[in-house]
């Protein structure tokens, strides 16, 4: 007993030293290399300040079907049938050359391709739920955690009660996670697909609790693809809001054995190939069938309030929606005919929440369809990549989108000089807490974007906040979001803006 204790103490000490060294190293990298170093390939056009611009098409060692932004600014990515045995860590601080990618073997028994994913709030580690079994190909109840400090993927001893392929993991206000949906494959034994219509909650200690009184086929089970990466977010009251493809809406209270209630209202129909994203506290922009965009406001305690988000210019099946650093939503990729090059959109669309108008913006070099992903990076750019497996093109590549706010407004197409954050909290801060931010320029605006984790057209972690400031100065005081219901614990990108409307490279803000 004594010996075991000593060993475990020693292990903890070693782990702490490793983590400390890791943080020092990351700090040095951040000091030495600027995130702004990846410039667009050619000189940007005269409309770059209105439409943005794509950087060069660059190679990826895998098809990045899944992408997660780590708290050190690197991107953890995995996917593809080939990638089931590997995962890649991209270091944007190095650039887009082959030396910026580190590809490591997946030595777990889980094929993490099409698993569910979320962040562990205290550490920024990535939690992966389900997938399939590497040897049998059957659906899996495995749980794996990726630790950026050690770059390892570790199987957890506590697996889920249900097997889940294509499930969603939602980070809850108390730091727990709820697993929703997912399906069982047509297994090797020849049985037909079934669906995991019972949610379960993972406690901070890793143990799972089944929500046996919240079973539902229409919320996250067999009915109309509800099992397929259910679109779900914590609502401002602290329960989980679910928006189905069929248009039904639900509220799940995860306490005890769970309570599911259905709202009376319905939205129009959608599809698992169309994205939905929380673009403001309690407000979701949802792409529905036939180019329809709907804003779903879940801030009130009653029925959701539905309103038009305008019409997209193109039908974009398998597109991705990303909240930018300024709160606008950028939708890229997709095709009017499905996972097919006919009707594939190379251009992209920008949605302004103030006017609800969609505008056609910059064009990519290649199509992004099924199994593509897009992720906001700390420098305010968006990594787009992947697609294929299966699909018309197996996209072993990425392209970075430079939004309009990065360019000078004068039409020269030059990148605008950016303000720099001089001082921001480095320790974890709480909710509804005042803190000060200092920058090189007078600060005109402060925004916060929760770090993203994205796959299958759904970024279930992303959220945006405009933090009000009372005066424009180099040092301003701001208040963190009011509660964990509005801003679940974890890591956020803190952008400061100068008077010209140019954002800084973000600092990571840890809220908990
Ligand atoms: Cu998939």
């Amino acid at each position: 007993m004594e010996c075991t204790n000593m060993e475990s103490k020693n292990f903890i000490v070693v782990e702490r030293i490793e983590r400390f060294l890791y943080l020092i190293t990351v700090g040095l990298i951040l000091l030495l290399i600027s995130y702004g170093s990846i410039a667009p390939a050619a000189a940007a056009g005269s409309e770059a300040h209105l439409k943005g611009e794509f950087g060069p098409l660059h190679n990826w060692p895998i098809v990045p079907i899944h992408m997660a932004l780590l708290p050190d600014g690197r991107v953890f990515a995995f996917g593809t049938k080939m990638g089931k045995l590997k995962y890649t860590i991209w270091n944007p601080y190095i650039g887009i050359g082959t030396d910026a990618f580190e590809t490591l073997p997946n030595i777990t028994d889980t094929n993490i391709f099409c698993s569910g994913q979320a962040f562990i709030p205290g550490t920024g580690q990535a939690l992966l739920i389900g997938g399939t079994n590497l040897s049998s190909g059957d659906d899996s109840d495995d749980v794996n955690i990726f630790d950026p400090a050690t770059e390892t993927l570790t199987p957890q001893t506590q697996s889920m009660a249900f097997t889940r392929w294509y499930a969603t993991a939602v980070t809850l206000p108390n730091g727990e996670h709820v697993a929703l949906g997912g399906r069982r494959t047509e297994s090797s034994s020849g049985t037909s697909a079934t669906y995991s219509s019972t949610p379960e909650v993972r406690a901070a200690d890793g143990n799972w609790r089944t929500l046996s009184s919240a079973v539902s086929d229409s919320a996250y089970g067999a009915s109309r693809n509800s099992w397929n990466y259910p679109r779900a977010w914590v609502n401002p009251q602290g329960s989980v809001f679910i928006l189905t493809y069929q248009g039904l809406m639900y509220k799940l209270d995860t306490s005890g054995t769970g309570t599911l209630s259905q709202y009376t209202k319905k939205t129009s129909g959608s599809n698992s190939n169309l994205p939905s994203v929380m673009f403001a506290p309690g407000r979701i922009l949802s792409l529905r069938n036939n180019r329809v965009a709907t804003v779903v406001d879940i801030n009130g305690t009653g029925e959701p309030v539905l309103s038009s988000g305008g019409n997209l210019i193109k039908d974009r099946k398998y597109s991705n929606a990303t909240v930018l650093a300024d709160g606008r939503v950028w939708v890229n990729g997709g095709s009017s005919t499905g996972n097919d090059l006919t009707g594939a959109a190379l251009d992209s669309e920008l949605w302004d929440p103030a006017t609800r108008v969609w505008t056609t913006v910059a064009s990519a070099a290649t199509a992004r369809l099924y199994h593509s992903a897009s992720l906001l990076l700390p420098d305010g750019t968006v990594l787009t990549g992947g697609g294929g497996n299966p699909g018309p093109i197996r996209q072993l590549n990425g392209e970075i989108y430079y939004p309009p706010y990065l360019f000078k407004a004068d039409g020269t197409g030059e990148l605008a000089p950016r303000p720099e954050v001089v001082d921001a909290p480095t320790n974890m801060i709480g909710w509804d807490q005042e803190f000060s931010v200092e920058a090189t320029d007078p600060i005109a605006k402060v925004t916060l974007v929760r770090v993203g984790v994205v796959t299958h057209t759904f970024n279930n972690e992303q959220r945006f906040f405009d933090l009000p400031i009372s005066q424009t100065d180099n040092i301003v005081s701001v208040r963190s979001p009011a509660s964990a219901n509005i801003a679940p614990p974890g890591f956020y990108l803190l952008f400061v803006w100068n008077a010209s409307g140019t954002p800084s490279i973000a600092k990571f803000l840890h809220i908990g």
Side-chain angles (χ1 to χ4, degrees), residues 82-252:
M82 177 191 71
K84 68 187 178 185
L85 301 169
K86 296 187 249 178
Y87 54 87
T88 288
I89 303 158
W90 174 49
N91 188 341
Y93 302 100
I94 296 176
I96 52 175
T98 49
D99 57 338
F101 297 88
E102 185 181 8
T103 301
L104 297 162
N106 170 12
I107 54 170
T108 73
D109 290 331
T110 322
N111 179 354
I112 52 178
F113 181 49
C114 308
S115 59
Q117 44 186 16
F119 289 111
I120 295 179
T123 59
Q125 293 166 315
L127 172 72
L128 309 182
I129 59 165
T132 51
N133 187 286
L134 263 178
S135 40
S136 71
D138 288 348
D139 40 275
S140 167
D141 55 11
D142 290 350
V143 178
N144 289 285
I145 289 179
F146 175 76
D147 184 3
T150 57
E151 301 183 342
T152 50
L153 191 61
T154 307
Q156 305 300 295
T157 50
Q158 306 105 315
S159 44
M160 295 182 288
F162 298 89
T163 57
R164 297 181 192 272
W165 191 43
Y166 283 70
T168 293
V170 180
T171 306
L172 298 173
N174 61 3
E176 297 183 336
H177 294 88
V178 64
L180 302 174
R183 63 177 271 194
R184 314 192 61 163
T185 57
E186 293 90 351
S187 74
S188 47
S189 54
T191 55
S192 58
T194 54
Y195 305 91
S196 300
S197 54
T198 308
E200 52 191 312
V201 170
R202 182 181 186 271
D205 65 6
N207 287 318
W208 291 88
R209 182 180 86 247
T210 297
L211 303 190
S212 53
S213 51
V215 184
S216 171
D217 267 335
S218 52
Y220 25 62
S223 176
R224 304 258 203 114
N225 284 335
S226 292
W227 54 272
N228 188 331
Y229 288 107
R231 292 353 188 196
W233 303 262
V234 170
N235 71 14
Q237 295 80 46
S239 50
V240 176
F241 175 77
I242 300 140
L243 173 58
T244 68
Y245 308 122
Q246 195 177 348
L248 307 176
M249 296 182 281
Y250 294 87
K251 180 173 71 173
L252 172 66

Side-chain angles (χ1 to χ4, degrees), residues 273-334:
N273 60 30
L274 292 171
S276 289
V277 67
M278 189 175 264
F279 67 93
R283 296 169 86 201
I284 296 155
L285 176 69
S286 180
L287 271 54
R288 317 302 293 177
N289 293 331
N290 306 315
R291 302 188 294 112
V292 169
T294 299
V295 172
V296 184
D297 191 323
I298 53 173
N299 281 297
T301 51
E303 288 281 321
V305 177
L306 305 176
S307 56
S308 171
N311 285 302
L312 283 103
I313 295 153
K314 288 188 175 172
D315 193 1
R316 293 174 178 271
K317 298 180 174 79
Y318 300 109
S319 56
N320 275 279
T322 307
V323 181
L324 301 181
D326 62 358
R328 287 192 284 179
V329 177
W330 182 63
V331 175
N332 75 296

